[in-house]
């Protein structure tokens, strides 16, 4: 029996603008993520990583190609059932939380939206699971640190009990010390809840920590799909990947 | 919230004091002697100084101010030099009429402005947005007294549908809630509504456009929320700022309708003010300006408190 794929993306092209102003942010991207797998998208800023995630999440209407989630093809519109299964965590925890909702409201709204019951107990447990504790329950985003906000954003994504998380640079807006905490939290959550991750990062170290495989992107195209092993050993085939590795090593020193 | 309210109320006191001093001095430093307007041209020096003493104008300024304030807090704003009637009665009657006009204009302008602004913010950079922007620029830039005159020519002179003068039949200034009186309100209220439609539409467009591009809105969609519910969230986030703009607009509508009230002979505070100025009616002028200024202060206070009540990011201590 073969392992089924949680996500398949084939010849995905995403564009912004139309006519002469059209620019393709993603060009014929193809990759797949096994169920329970963790897949990275790496590349420099502007290479189209976030756009792929947003296209999967149904936040960009202008795309062509094929995308399937758990074997089901995705159309223009996403059903509520889709969002029950697939959730997204955004890069900037300052901008991505509703400024006028308490943590409690954010989470209960997400749960109600997907018809969950026993919300009170669920919220308490969820806050424990993301390492916040119930003391944070009635706070507003502006009363939280960056790391705490990102924990809330992760809790919000987990609230409908999804199977797949789309993570858009979940740590890049945070201090280095906080980054490691969040990465460990994400690793733990994935193990405990058997989640599938698609994670965007421009940081090879972050991808190496959390992913098994990664696509290397350059100017909207996937130039190479590599295993994390080969990233570690340097057994990559593309010059561009080598260049990324070299600059990552240089900045680590 | 209660301590915040108290603190804001206490802060109003120095502002009100400043406003009263400025109102008092403003009239003192204005050129011309108010008495010359009501005295016979051939009045003797003795008659003039007797009159001056009767109105308290012979005392030093600080004393005049103290007397003025002392009377003021008892509700006595002096007597109009021109008509001899109590200023308080004149001003409050006029302010009521102005308030009626301002609130009617706001009732017309705010829903239209909000609707147009939201539409433009949502359909940013396509023809709907351009059309709304054009309308709001036109609304803000067309001189409204000119528009008033045009409306009078069309609806009163040519079509004969609506009256153009006063607040009621036969120039009555006693307002009543019936069609005979309300007909008089329509043209001035519509004219006055045009500028705030433009301003509110532009504000809401910028707000909605800005909020719609923020990540938390994307996050709401990604949470699986329907478009209508997301827009409800956007609207609530825009509400705090939109509210403050509209509150201040209401203040402007009340004080800034001098031209409209003059065009339509509307017996409001603006009309009263222009009469007071032309007749050099010093007590009336002081009283009118003071009431309008204090109204502005109160409006600011209400807006601030309302904003703090709906936006948790604003400190309430
Ligand atoms: N909403 C948008 N409208 C127009 N262009 C966009 C939009 N979002 C992203 N782009 C463009 O698409 C390209 C890829 O952006 P993005 O996916 O955010 O890159 P990355 O996440 O890899 O930094 C960039 O050139 C960016 O300017
Ligand atoms: Mg990005």
């Amino acid at each position: 029996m073969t392992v089924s794929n949680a996500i398949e993306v084939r010849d995905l092209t995403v564009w912004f603008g139309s006519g002469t102003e059209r620019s393709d942010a993603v060009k014929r991207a193809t990759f797949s993520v096994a169920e329970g797998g963790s897949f990275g998208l790496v590349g420099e800023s502007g290479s189209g990583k976030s756009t792929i995630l947003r296209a999967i999440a149904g936040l960009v209407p202008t795309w062509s190609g094929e995308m399937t989630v758990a074997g089901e093809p995705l159309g223009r519109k996403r059903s509520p059932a889709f969002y029950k299964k697939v959730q997204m965590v955004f890069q900037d925890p300052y901008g991505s939380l509703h400024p006028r909702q308490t943590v409690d409201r954010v989470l209960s709204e997400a749960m109600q939206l997907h018809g969950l019951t026993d919300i009170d107990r669920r919220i308490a447990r969820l806050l424990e699971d993301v390492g916040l504790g119930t003391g944070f329950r009635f706070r507003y985003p502006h009363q939280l640190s960056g790391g705490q906000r990102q924990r809330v954003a992760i809790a919000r994504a987990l609230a409908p009990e999804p199977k797949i998380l789309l993570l858009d640079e979940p740590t890049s807006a945070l201090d280095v010390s906080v980054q490691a905490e969040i990465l460990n939290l994400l690793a733990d959550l994935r193990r405990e809840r058997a989640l599938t991750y698609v994670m965007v990062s421009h940081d090879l170290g972050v991808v190496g920590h959390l992913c098994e495989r990664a696509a290397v992107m350059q100017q909207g195209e996937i130039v190479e799909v590599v295993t994390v092993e080969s990233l570690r050993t340097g057994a990559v085939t593309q010059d561009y990947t080598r260049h990324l590795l070299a600059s990552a090593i240089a900045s680590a020193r | 919230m209660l301590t915040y309210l108290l603190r804001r109320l206490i802060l109003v006191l120095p502002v009100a004091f400043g406003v009263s001093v400025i109102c008092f001095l403003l009239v003192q430093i204005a050129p011309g002697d108010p008495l010359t307007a009501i005295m016979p041209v051939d009045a003797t020096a003795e008659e003039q100084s007797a009159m001056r003493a009767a109105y308290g104008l012979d005392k030093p300024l600080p004393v005049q101010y103290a007397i003025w304030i002392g009377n003021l807090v008892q509700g006595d704003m002096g007597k109009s030099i021109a008509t001899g009637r109590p200023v308080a009665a004149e001003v409050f009657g006029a302010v009521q009429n102005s308030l009626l006009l301002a609130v009617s204009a706001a009732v017309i302008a705010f829903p239209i402005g909000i609707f147009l602004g939201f539409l433009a913010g949502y359909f940013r950079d396509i023809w709907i947005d351009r059309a709304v922007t054009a309308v709001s620029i036109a609304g803000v830039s067309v001189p409204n007294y000119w528009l008033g005159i045009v409306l009078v020519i069309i609806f009163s002179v040519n079509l004969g549908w609506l009256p153009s003068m006063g607040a009621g039949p036969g120039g009555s200034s006693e307002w009543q809630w019936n069609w005979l009186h309300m007909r008089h309100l329509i043209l001035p209220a519509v004219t006055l509504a045009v500028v705030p439609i433009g301003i509110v539409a532009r504000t809401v467009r910028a707000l909605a456009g800005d909020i719609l591009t923020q990540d938390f809105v994307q996050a709401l969609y990604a949470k699986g929320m329907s478009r209508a519910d997301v827009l409800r969230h956007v609207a609530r986030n825009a509400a705090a700022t939109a509210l403050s703009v509209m509150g201040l607009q209401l203040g402007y509508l009340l004080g800034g309708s001098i031209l409209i009230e003059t065009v339509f002979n509307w017996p409001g505070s603006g009309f009263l003010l222009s009469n007071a100025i032309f007749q050099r009616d010093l007590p009336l002028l002081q009283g009118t300006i003071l009431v309008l200024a204090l109204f502005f202060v109160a409006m600011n206070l209400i807006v601030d408190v309302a904003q703090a009540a709906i936006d948790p990011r604003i400190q309430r201590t």
Side-chain angles (χ1 to χ4, degrees):
Chain A
M1 206 188 100
T2 56
V3 184
S4 63
N5 281 331
I7 291 181
E8 282 182 32
V9 170
R10 202 169 306 120
D11 286 336
L12 175 70
T13 297
V14 187
W15 62 91
F16 294 105
S18 58
T20 53
E21 286 173 33
R22 168 171 160 159
S23 72
D24 293 2
V26 177
K27 297 165 200 152
R28 303 180 70 85
T30 299
F31 65 92
S32 59
V33 187
E35 209 176 295
S38 179
F39 189 82
L41 289 168
V42 293
E44 285 166 353
S45 171
S47 55
K49 308 179 300 288
S50 302
T51 304
I52 289 187
L53 284 200
R54 287 159 45 82
I56 298 174
L59 299 174
V60 199
T62 48
W63 57 273
S64 65
E66 281 173 53
M67 296 192 277
T68 63
V69 164
E72 286 181 38
L74 299 179
R76 291 297 115 174
K77 291 200 89 150
R78 301 286 182 275
S79 62
F82 171 85
Y83 289 116
K84 174 96 177 68
K85 213 175 321 175
V86 183
Q87 281 286 319
M88 182 154 172
V89 174
F90 292 82
Q91 168 173 11
D92 174 15
Y94 292 87
S96 71
L97 290 179
H98 195 309
R100 291 180 40 224
Q101 284 186 333
T102 60
V103 173
D104 182 73
R105 276 288 300 287
V106 171
L107 299 181
S108 62
E109 200 178 59
M111 291 173 178
Q112 277 157 7
L113 221 47
H114 293 281
L116 296 180
T117 53
D118 200 7
I119 284 173
D120 203 53
R121 203 184 45 83
R122 272 177 204 273
I123 290 179
R125 233 201 72 198
L126 191 52
L127 285 177
E128 292 295 335
D129 285 357
V130 297
L132 275 181
T134 46
F136 291 91
R137 183 158 172 177
F138 294 100
R139 299 233 190 137
Y140 285 99
H142 68 270
Q143 297 166 321
L144 303 175
S145 72
Q148 290 164 347
R149 282 169 191 239
Q150 200 57 310
R151 286 174 195 269
V152 173
I154 292 169
R156 172 186 62 199
L158 291 175
E161 315 221 313
K163 289 281 147 222
I164 300 169
L165 278 195
L166 308 173
L167 302 153
D168 191 356
E169 312 225 18
T171 59
S172 67
L174 305 174
D175 292 345
V176 179
S177 58
V178 184
Q179 279 188 13
E181 289 174 20
I182 299 291
L183 287 177
N184 289 334
L185 172 69
L186 287 171
D188 292 345
L189 288 169
R190 180 175 158 229
R191 200 165 357 88
E192 290 160 12
R193 295 172 175 241
L195 295 167
T196 304
Y197 282 177
V198 181
M199 187 166 94
V200 162
S201 181
H202 62 263
D203 184 341
L204 283 176
V206 168
V207 167
H209 186 85
L210 215 60
C211 303
E212 291 115 29
R213 292 193 314 136
V216 180
M217 292 194 69
Q218 186 187 17
Q219 290 172 9
E221 290 182 63
I222 293 183
V223 293
E224 186 173 13
V225 176
V226 296
T227 63
V228 163
E229 286 310 305
S230 58
L231 277 183
R232 284 209 189 98
T233 56
V236 295
T237 59
Q238 296 292 316
D239 284 346
Y240 181 67
T241 314
R242 231 168 259 132
H243 158 76
L244 268 189
L245 267 178
S247 51
I249 292 166
S251 67
R253 283 199 181 122
Chain B
M1 193 67 205
L2 204 66
T3 49
Y4 172 76
L5 200 66
L6 271 177
R7 215 173 53 99
R8 283 304 318 251
L9 277 175
I10 291 168
L11 275 177
V12 161
L13 289 178
V15 176
F17 175 71
V19 165
S20 73
V21 170
I22 290 170
C23 278
F24 180 75
L25 289 180
L26 207 61
V27 177
Q28 297 295 331
I29 58 180
D33 187 333
L35 290 182
T36 55
I38 52 167
M39 295 291 288
V41 207
D42 55 354
T44 63
E46 285 88 68
E47 280 170 334
Q48 283 201 11
S49 61
M51 197 57 138
R52 197 160 273 132
Y55 279 97
L57 297 176
D58 54 342
K59 300 196 175 66
L61 277 187
V63 178
Q64 280 189 45
Y65 175 77
I67 293 172
W68 183 63
I69 281 288
N71 291 334
L72 204 63
V73 294
Q74 296 167 35
D76 177 8
M77 302 169 109
K79 283 196 169 60
S80 159
I81 292 181
T83 65
R85 292 184 53 198
V87 168
E90 297 248 4
V91 170
F92 282 108
V95 164
Q96 266 177 20
N97 285 336
S98 282
L99 203 57
L100 179 71
L101 183 57
V103 170
S104 308
V107 166
I108 298 170
F110 294 169
I112 296 178
I114 292 170
F115 176 75
L116 289 180
F118 218 80
L119 213 60
Y122 189 72
F123 297 104
R124 198 123 200 197
D125 295 327
I126 63 172
W127 67 270
I128 296 181
D129 180 20
R130 305 223 172 90
V132 169
T133 305
V135 167
S136 60
I137 288 176
V140 174
S141 6
V142 168
N144 56 7
Y145 58 89
W146 176 82
L147 184 71
I149 293 169
V150 169
L151 290 180
V152 165
I153 292 174
I154 297 174
F155 290 99
S156 307
V157 179
N158 288 346
L159 296 171
W161 289 352
L162 292 167
S164 63
M165 303 273 274
S172 111
S173 59
E174 292 299 312
W175 179 258
Q176 287 166 31
W177 285 106
N178 57 33
W179 176 238
L180 273 184
H181 284 79
M182 278 157 75
R183 296 170 67 214
H184 286 257
L185 183 58
I186 295 175
L187 283 184
V190 168
T191 310
L192 199 55
V194 169
V195 171
I197 285 177
I199 290 174
V200 171
R202 283 201 306 197
T203 309
V204 172
R205 172 189 180 268
L207 277 172
D210 181 47
I211 293 171
L212 277 165
T213 59
Q214 284 180 23
D215 265 355
F216 84 87
V217 174
Q218 301 286 305
L220 290 175
Y221 279 121
K223 211 150 114 170
M225 196 178 270
S226 70
R227 185 172 298 260
D229 283 341
V230 171
L231 290 184
R232 199 168 44 80
H233 276 288
V234 173
R236 272 204 289 143
N237 272 280
T241 312
L243 199 76
S244 70
V245 170
M246 289 190 287
L248 292 181
Q249 277 304 308
L250 193 59
Y252 284 121
L253 284 180
L254 185 73
S257 56
I258 296 188
L259 286 172
I260 299 300
E261 292 187 354
T262 308
V263 166
F264 290 96
N265 256 3
W266 185 263
S269 54
F271 193 58
L272 191 67
L273 206 57
S274 68
N275 278 344
I277 291 168
F278 284 120
Q279 297 172 347
R280 294 241 180 89
D281 197 337
L282 208 148
L284 189 58
L285 195 55
Q286 274 178 331
T288 314
I289 294 176
L290 182 74
V291 169
L292 288 181
L294 288 182
F295 195 84
F296 227 93
V297 173
M299 212 59 225
N300 263 314
L301 177 71
I302 292 170
V303 163
D304 278 0
V305 172
Q307 245 186 339
I310 59 178
D311 194 333
R313 282 168 300 179
I314 295 173
Q315 290 284 324
R316 292 181 201 158
T317 46

